[in-house]
Amino acid sequence: GKPAKVAITAIMRKLVVLANALIRDDRKWAPHIP
């Protein structure tokens, strides 16, 4: 396998999950939301 690719995928997934959780909780954490 490719450890680097796996690590990047894990980080991306964690960021996506975090973003979805914040949006679900209706938290305005981004500096600008259109």
Side-chain angles (χ1 to χ4, degrees), residues 3-13:
K5 186 174 183 180
V6 174
I8 294 175
T9 302
I11 295 173
M12 288 179 62
R13 178 177 293 181

Side-chain angles (χ1 to χ4, degrees), residues 5-33:
K5 186 174 183 180
V6 174
I8 294 175
T9 302
I11 295 173
M12 288 179 62
R13 178 177 293 181
K14 182 173 294 185
L15 290 176
V16 170
V17 172
L18 177 61
N20 286 335
L22 292 175
I23 293 174
R24 178 171 8 98
D25 294 341
D26 194 19
R27 297 179 184 175
K28 302 301 185 293
W29 61 276
H32 176 71
I33 302 180

